[in-house]
Amino acid sequence: MGETVIGSNISIDGDISGSDSVTVLGTVRGSISTKDQVTIATSGRVEASVDSASVEVSGSVEGNVTASDKVEIKSGGKLIGDVKAPRILIADGAAFKGNINMTG
């Protein structure tokens, strides 16, 4: 398994799909779908839906997030949209606006 890093000076308008993990340091407008982990770093901004095994938000996400394992919003992270995952962690200092559906 590899890892794809979207650099801080990169902006992608379009869909991203695959089986490897994705780390977003820049901006993505379009859906992200991967079988591994999606990490939105502090500088990262996603304006799209995210579908992955695990999603970690330290930056900003505007869109619905679905994970088969867990979604974690770190301190300083911001998520606006609905979340569907069996495990959801929202740290003190994180911002969240939307609905939560904890599926088993």
Side-chain angles (χ1 to χ4, degrees):
M1 292 273 187
E3 178 182 10
T4 300
V5 177
I6 298 165
S8 58
N9 294 323
I10 302 294
S11 178
I12 295 178
D13 290 315
D15 299 338
I16 298 171
S17 64
S19 57
D20 295 343
S21 64
V22 175
T23 298
V24 179
L25 303 173
T27 302
V28 175
R29 292 179 190 92
S31 67
I32 300 174
S33 177
T34 179
K35 292 178 173 58
D36 203 350
Q37 176 168 327
V38 174
T39 303
I40 295 94
T42 306
S43 63
R45 179 171 176 81
V46 174
E47 298 172 9
S49 62
V50 179
D51 187 353
S52 181
S54 174
V55 179
E56 185 178 292
V57 179
S58 296
S60 172
V61 176
E62 289 185 38
N64 296 335
V65 176
T66 303
S68 58
D69 182 28
K70 73 172 180 175
V71 173
E72 182 174 2
I73 308 170
K74 303 268 195 177
S75 180
K78 177 181 174 185
L79 196 156
I80 299 173
D82 295 343
V83 175
K84 183 177 180 181
R87 297 187 303 147
I88 300 168
L89 295 88
I90 302 175
D92 190 24
F96 171 72
K97 181 178 181 182
N99 297 306
I100 293 176
N101 182 353
M102 294 182 73
T103 56

